[in-house]
Amino acid sequence: MDRTERLLDLVALFLDAREPISWAELREHFPQDYRGTSDDAAERKFERDKAELLELGFPLSYIQGDDERKDGYIVDRDAYYLPEVDLTKEELAVLYAAGSAALTSGAFPGRDDLSHALRKIGFFAGDALPTPRVRMELGVEQDGPRLAAYLEQLWSACAARKWVQMTYGSPKRLDLSERRVEPYGLALRRGIWTLVGYCHLRQGIRTFHVHRIRTLKVNTSRPRTPDFEVPANFSADDYVASYPWQHRFHERMEVRLRLTGELVPRAASLFPGAHVTPAPEGQGTLVTLPVTFLDGLLRFCLQLGPDCHVEAPDKAREDVAAMARRILEKHGEKPATPEVRA
């Protein structure tokens, strides 16, 4: 049999086994592969197969026997199987709705994996699944087969850690640029898919809107060998803004806000990821968050009204006061113009 078929048969054999499988038993199960050659050649062949199974994440190990079980190869089932997630049918229905929305959007990476997961949810949730099906609209730029194909390629490249070569169109330049990028991850923000990775042209981590990619090719050489390692401290949230104050225009600063009135119970939803604590003497709630675009935060704060107070640092207090004065001057009452009679 060919190697792929043999590897699949090995996985099935080890998963069905209730006790360790010895080398002699393996040779009995695979007489054409491990018995038809010399002992040394057969052992080398199995070692190569075992190494590939380990590389694929199959936790196969050899144990020394004792009074209760024999020597042999065994699978660590705790490491192989994911723990059960205790979700109610209603929670499964919500998860199914979100997955269906992503799947029917026309452009979502990992569509085959998502379809398989939804079939599993459908089996367990049964009648609790939502009707009718839902759809997530991503906007005109996000539709079309090219974007869907690019997302699938980038999904695979991120998983296998293979660099990509692409032609990219930036709104800041009239001409296209050739980029070799090590893809670290993908992010969906406000309907736009963004690739984050190390750009060899710019010699640093950069972001690329996927709909602006004109051509894309994944490195196919040595497909089982990663081309790069993702930095241990990498987070897509550090590069792809979800909120106006996260755009990387300025140096990072810590800003403290005080929320009062109706905004107090909404603190966590208004400023996700921020540090939220009760204010002294029950005077509302304090929100501390990192900001790289102060004007974006201050505009948002002014939209929230008088129950949102900017407390620190001094620059933030001064800037929000100046911004409020400009708004008042622009929209305040103008002095009456004397009527002119002919």
Side-chain angles (χ1 to χ4, degrees), residues 222-270:
R222 304 174 65 191
R224 297 186 183 278
T225 303
D227 295 332
F228 60 89
E229 293 293 333
V230 180
N233 60 349
F234 169 76
S235 172
D237 290 338
D238 294 336
Y239 298 91
V240 184
S242 297
Y243 301 95
W245 56 88
Q246 294 178 334
H247 291 290
R248 293 177 291 119
F249 292 149
H250 308 121
E251 291 296 323
R252 172 173 166 155
M253 66 165 55
E254 295 289 328
V255 177
R256 186 173 72 248
L257 310 173
R258 182 192 296 267
L259 303 184
T260 56
E262 297 180 355
L263 297 183
V264 171
R266 299 173 56 197
S269 61
L270 289 172

Side-chain angles (χ1 to χ4, degrees), residues 51 57 143 215:
D143 292 332
T215 64

Side-chain angles (χ1 to χ4, degrees), residues 126-141:
D127 296 336
L129 292 182
T131 303
R133 297 293 187 260
V134 295
R135 177 178 176 85
M136 178 175 62
E137 298 294 345
L138 295 180
V140 176
E141 289 182 322

Side-chain angles (χ1 to χ4, degrees), residues 34 158 213 243:
Y34 301 144
C158 290
I213 298 176
Y243 301 95

Side-chain angles (χ1 to χ4, degrees), residues 50-113:
K50 185 176 69 172
E52 185 156 357
L53 289 176
L54 292 173
E55 183 181 350
L56 293 172
F58 191 71
L60 182 64
S61 59
Y62 185 85
I63 63 168
Q64 296 289 340
D66 51 29
D67 294 338
E68 297 183 357
R69 57 182 180 180
K70 61 185 179 181
D71 298 353
Y73 294 93
I74 194 169
V75 174
D76 183 352
R77 295 177 180 273
D78 291 337
Y80 181 74
Y81 292 108
L82 292 174
E84 292 187 6
V85 180
D86 187 18
L87 296 177
T88 65
K89 282 193 173 184
E90 291 74 15
E91 291 170 331
L92 285 173
V94 173
L95 192 59
Y96 188 92
S100 298
L103 191 63
T104 59
S105 65
F108 198 86
R111 293 178 60 83
D112 292 341
D113 293 336

Side-chain angles (χ1 to χ4, degrees), residues 249-309:
F249 292 149
H250 308 121
E251 291 296 323
R252 172 173 166 155
M253 66 165 55
E254 295 289 328
V255 177
R256 186 173 72 248
L257 310 173
R258 182 192 296 267
L259 303 184
T260 56
E262 297 180 355
L263 297 183
V264 171
R266 299 173 56 197
S269 61
L270 289 172
F271 303 97
H275 182 59
V276 179
T277 57
E281 300 178 0
Q283 298 298 315
T285 296
L286 296 180
V287 176
T288 305
L289 68 162
V291 175
T292 51
F293 182 38
L294 183 59
D295 283 1
L297 174 66
L298 300 182
R299 293 186 189 119
F300 183 75
C301 291
L302 288 174
Q303 293 173 14
L304 296 177
D307 284 335
C308 180
H309 313 266

